Amino acid sequence: MKEISRPAEAPPKRSGHFRRLSVALVVAGLLIGFAAYSWQPSPRAGNQGDFIPIEEFSRIIRDFSEEGGYFLSDNFVSNETSYLHVMDKLEEIGSVGEDAYIGVGPEQNFSYIARLRPRIAFIVDIRRQAMIQQLMYKALFSLAETRTEFLSRLLSIPISDQETPAAEALLPELIDYFDRRPGVEEAFRGNLATLFKTIEEDFQFPLTEEDRAGLEYIYSIFWEANLDTRFWFRGRWSWGYFPTLRGILLETDLDGDLGNFLAREEDYQFVRGLHLQNRIIPVVGDFAGPKALRTVGDYLKENGYNVSAFYTSNVEQYLFRNGVFGDFAENIRHLPVSEKSLFIRAFTGRGGFHPARVPGHRLTTILQKITIFLDDFDQDRYPNYWALVTTNFISSRE
């Protein structure tokens, strides 16, 4: 078995999900569902005018991206259990079914995209590894026609038995199905080879040796930890502190309703369709950097888009810490926005309990109109991060 490169302190493994199936006939039967798949844009993905040629998609990533930077964590999955709390507010006061979405980080973006229904999306992250992970997701969406197949490929758990959930299965049924099965190394190896081929040949995006090692590292975590995959800080023990992928998928909004992009087949199909149109584009970029956000802004202006929502997570906390928040604000000024354009922020609790905090959640998710943000910035109302997240914010409870 080839050694998989990992940071010095890798997350722990669950013994129950790391068993190797040694009987060749059993493995062969399980792998039936993992035949090679040649990616093609779906004719149902959208109008022909919506399709971005794959050469252009690959060019945009390369031309818009900055040099990769360091961040102190591996965001395999979101750690924000409150991420669904603002969904109703997004629909109530934001733009739905039009314009552009900008986000950062891993799969949480897909839930916001599913709810907002934008025409195009950019995922901008300072880590090149995050861009590679988004290309991994794009490949998985392209290969997986249903939610069940998506989870199967993500977790390297084949779905060839009689108990395979139906396309309309409820999300808890899907979770239960995959919770009762281990990842299979042969499936992981075969799927990984397909991911490399899909990204490099079908998406026409060349991977460096470091990119390939990073993709193998990321994908191996999902194979080994499965639904226990979590966010973790590099170099220090934190694997058990953050929510699992299972928990993130099963989070609810304030009314107790499931809202992840995998909760409904139609939401999954919308996100998949946008991927098949090559209209979810990952870019390597610093929010306060000189190129990525400004270039995205230029592209949106040239193509007649406004920003419907910009999910920043808690990145602004680090921009204040590094003394570059003003550069970020100027980059925001460069984006095309309307009165409906919104920030989606996650406040971590540093500095005090947020007025909009929901008990039982480590983070607080809030909104703010981008036009209000720019006015407040010009009035010097943001001396620090606490002032940013408590001035003219929109609570999920309002």
Side-chain angles (χ1 to χ4, degrees):
M1 173 178 170
K2 178 183 176 182
E3 183 68 21
I4 297 173
S5 175
R6 292 189 178 83
E9 187 177 342
K13 300 180 178 181
R14 284 198 311 150
S15 59
H17 275 214
F18 298 65
R19 299 193 300 269
R20 304 294 183 260
L21 300 183
S22 58
V23 180
L25 290 176
V26 173
V27 171
L30 287 172
L31 294 178
I32 290 174
F34 289 86
Y37 178 94
S38 179
W39 175 85
Q40 295 181 20
S42 168
R44 297 180 300 169
N47 296 328
Q48 186 175 3
D50 292 333
F51 182 74
I52 294 177
I54 198 63
E55 300 87 354
E56 177 71 357
F57 170 85
S58 179
R59 182 199 68 80
I60 289 173
I61 297 175
R62 295 192 305 271
D63 290 357
F64 289 19
S65 290
E66 299 169 347
E67 290 296 319
Y70 172 81
F71 197 67
L72 72 170
S73 65
D74 280 329
N75 292 46
F76 301 116
V77 298
S78 172
N79 66 354
E80 298 170 15
T81 58
S82 62
Y83 74 104
L84 297 174
H85 293 177
V86 296
M87 288 300 198
D88 288 343
K89 281 293 176 183
L90 279 175
E91 288 187 337
E92 177 185 333
I93 63 178
S95 298
V96 177
E98 56 183 288
D99 292 335
Y101 170 89
I102 302 175
V104 66
E107 88 299 330
Q108 182 169 334
N109 293 284
F110 304 141
S111 295
Y112 292 137
I113 289 170
R115 185 61 64 97
L116 288 168
R117 298 289 203 264
R119 294 164 56 203
I120 193 169
F122 285 88
I123 313 298
V124 182
D125 199 297
I126 195 170
R127 297 159 295 192
R128 184 174 176 88
Q129 180 173 294
M131 180 268 288
I132 296 300
Q133 184 169 350
Q134 287 295 333
L135 288 175
M136 178 195 80
Y137 274 125
K138 175 177 174 59
L140 292 173
F141 273 105
S142 300
L143 296 163
E145 296 185 358
T146 66
R147 295 173 298 151
T148 303
E149 188 177 355
F150 177 84
L151 285 172
S152 170
R153 289 183 177 273
L154 175 65
L155 305 175
S156 296
I157 300 176
I159 51 172
S160 61
D161 60 45
Q162 296 297 319
E163 299 178 26
T164 301
E168 66 275 11
L170 299 177
L171 182 56
E173 296 177 47
L174 295 179
I175 298 301
D176 179 67
Y177 176 86
F178 288 105
D179 245 345
R180 290 185 283 109
R181 289 159 175 79
V184 177
E185 182 174 355
E186 287 79 359
F188 163 73
R189 294 295 170 190
N191 291 344
L192 180 63
T194 300
L195 290 178
F196 286 141
K197 178 180 182 297
T198 302
I199 293 170
E200 294 192 295
E201 297 183 16
D202 297 336
F203 299 166
Q204 299 183 22
F205 188 87
L207 297 171
T208 65
E209 286 303 310
E210 186 176 358
D211 292 338
R212 292 175 68 89
L215 176 57
E216 183 171 0
Y217 165 56
I218 296 164
Y219 193 47
S220 73
I221 296 296
F222 286 96
W223 155 49
E224 294 179 337
N226 297 154
L227 290 167
D228 280 342
T229 301
R230 309 170 192 246
F231 168 103
W232 78 304
F233 285 114
R234 297 177 179 179
R236 49 181 163 150
W237 189 259
S238 59
W239 189 250
Y241 178 69
F242 295 104
T244 62
L245 172 60
R246 177 192 304 101
I248 290 295
L249 294 178
L250 293 174
E251 280 295 338
T252 63
D253 62 21
L254 292 176
D255 295 323
D257 296 325
L258 295 170
N260 185 272
F261 74 97
L262 290 176
R264 299 190 305 170
E265 187 67 24
E266 64 186 272
D267 286 343
Y268 174 77
Q269 293 301 336
F270 176 82
V271 179
R272 181 173 188 256
L274 214 58
H275 268 299
L276 292 176
Q277 296 166 4
N278 304 321
R279 301 184 74 79
I280 299 180
I281 307 173
V283 173
V284 183
D286 183 341
F287 279 9
K291 179 181 180 183
L293 276 183
R294 287 179 176 254
T295 310
V296 168
D298 289 340
Y299 179 90
L300 296 178
K301 290 174 186 175
E302 291 169 4
N303 289 276
Y305 298 109
N306 284 324
V307 174
S308 60
F310 189 159
Y311 162 59
T312 64
S313 186
N314 67 323
V315 171
E316 290 147 312
Q317 170 186 339
Y318 299 96
L319 301 179
F320 272 106
R321 183 181 300 177
N322 295 335
V324 294
F325 183 75
D327 295 329
F328 166 70
E330 293 307 315
N331 285 343
I332 296 302
R333 203 186 303 278
H334 201 75
L335 298 176
V337 299
S338 72
E339 290 298 321
K340 290 188 173 184
S341 302
L342 295 167
F343 278 123
I344 307 171
R345 295 192 174 104
F347 174 64
T348 62
R350 293 181 182 273
F353 284 132
H354 195 279
R357 176 178 176 266
V358 176
H361 294 271
R362 188 176 57 87
L363 284 83
T364 304
T365 304
I366 54 176
L367 305 176
Q368 186 187 41
K369 289 192 173 184
I370 295 179
T371 54
I372 296 296
F373 163 82
L374 291 171
D375 288 341
D376 285 349
F377 178 79
D378 289 340
Q379 297 297 320
D380 294 324
R381 291 177 178 158
Y382 302 137
N384 51 47
Y385 181 57
W386 174 256
L388 172 70
V389 297
T390 56
T391 302
N392 287 323
F393 67 92
I394 301 170
S395 169
S396 59
R397 292 174 161 179
E398 292 179 355

